Amino acid sequence: MDMLRSQQIAEAGLTDWRKLAQGLHTRYLVEDFGSGVRFVVAVGEAGDAVGHHPRVSMGKGYVDFELVSDDAVYREDDGTERVVEWVTQQDVDLARRITEIAADHGLDTDPASVSEVELGLDTAQSAAIAPVWAALLTGSAASQGRGTPSDEIREATGRVPNLWFSDAEEHETPRQRFHLEVYVAPEVAGQRIADALAAGGTVVDDSNAPSQTVIADQDGNKGVVCVDVAAAGRD
């Protein structure tokens, strides 16, 4: 399906939903976990009927949904077509159906409370450093450029924030003003580090390994692979 432009999404009148980053987001308020589960089951059945489903997260008193299509078609001005992750008509249609289901369940919505976090790095060599961040953040090279024509890093299940790259002129490596902490299970930490090194990264500090291993990309940007060894019962 064609991706929908912002104006088209606005014209759909989805009062319960907000367009954030690539998708449609909303939050519904539930009295308890059981009522939330019943609501999600009903939404799942509606998704089964059309072969499309939202991403779902639940917490105390709320159920969050995100709707996005991973096969949206984007057309350049010259007619070139690209497949991207974006909102399509099927997302709009399912959003309307979810709103109806929420009304049937007597649920209120709180769309103003939804948010989406993405990360950005200024770099003159996104193609070179992107594999390092794909390895650190997701453990999968397939996350580089997933659903986007750029080198952006997007994890398929949305468990980590998207990382995008902003063009910058080549410059001497400055002191980094932020870092990322990537928490992983103990059994995958070694492979995560190895993948980042194979992609061109370097270990700059392993004095606190295996709890913390600091990896730098070719620009000097740092990420820390973190393992809670105490919780895992390991030294």
Side-chain angles (χ1 to χ4, degrees):
M1 288 187 172
D2 287 351
M3 63 173 283
L4 297 183
R5 305 287 181 171
S6 297
Q7 183 61 35
Q8 293 173 297
I9 295 171
E11 291 171 354
L14 303 174
T15 57
D16 285 6
W17 299 77
R18 299 293 182 269
K19 171 67 168 56
L20 304 177
Q22 294 79 35
L24 297 173
H25 299 254
T26 193
R27 168 169 290 184
Y28 288 101
L29 306 179
V30 295
E31 292 184 358
D32 50 43
F33 191 81
S35 59
V37 170
R38 289 188 290 274
F39 176 43
V40 171
V41 168
V43 170
E45 292 173 349
D48 288 343
V50 296
H52 187 52
H53 299 87
R55 293 172 179 168
V56 183
S57 62
M58 294 180 59
K60 185 177 181 180
Y62 70 87
V63 179
D64 287 353
F65 293 109
E66 177 187 6
L67 282 166
V68 64
S69 296
D70 59 11
D71 57 354
V73 177
Y74 168 68
R75 290 183 174 83
E76 303 274 8
D77 292 339
D78 62 4
T80 302
E81 293 186 358
R82 300 181 185 275
V83 176
V84 298
E85 237 184 22
W86 205 261
V87 177
T88 67
Q89 188 61 45
Q90 68 178 350
D91 298 303
V92 169
D93 292 342
L94 187 53
R96 288 197 178 102
R97 180 66 187 120
I98 292 172
T99 296
E100 293 172 353
I101 295 170
D104 292 341
H105 284 245
L107 302 180
D108 292 327
T109 184
D110 184 19
S113 67
V114 297
S115 61
E116 181 84 344
V117 176
E118 293 196 345
L119 308 171
L121 281 179
D122 294 335
T123 178
Q125 50 174 347
S126 63
I129 72 173
V132 177
W133 290 102
L136 278 174
L137 290 174
T138 73
S140 171
S143 64
Q144 179 182 345
R146 181 184 176 277
T148 172
S150 69
D151 289 313
E152 186 172 328
I153 309 303
R154 296 183 185 175
E155 199 267 335
T157 64
R159 292 285 294 175
V160 298
N162 293 345
L163 172 65
W164 53 272
F165 303 98
S166 180
D167 290 336
E169 294 182 358
E170 195 68 59
H171 55 79
E172 292 184 7
T173 303
R175 179 179 178 183
Q176 187 178 352
R177 296 183 181 275
F178 72 93
H179 73 271
L180 305 179
E181 293 185 347
V182 185
Y183 292 83
V184 299
E187 62 267 28
V188 303
Q191 188 61 54
R192 186 67 60 92
I193 294 168
D195 289 346
L197 299 183
T202 56
V203 174
V204 296
D205 186 357
D206 59 1
S207 60
N208 292 317
S211 296
Q212 296 179 329
T213 303
V214 183
I215 306 291
D217 66 19
Q218 296 91 325
D219 268 351
N221 302 300
K222 299 179 180 68
V224 186
V225 178
C226 302
V227 176
D228 191 333
V229 293
R234 293 170 52 177
D235 295 328

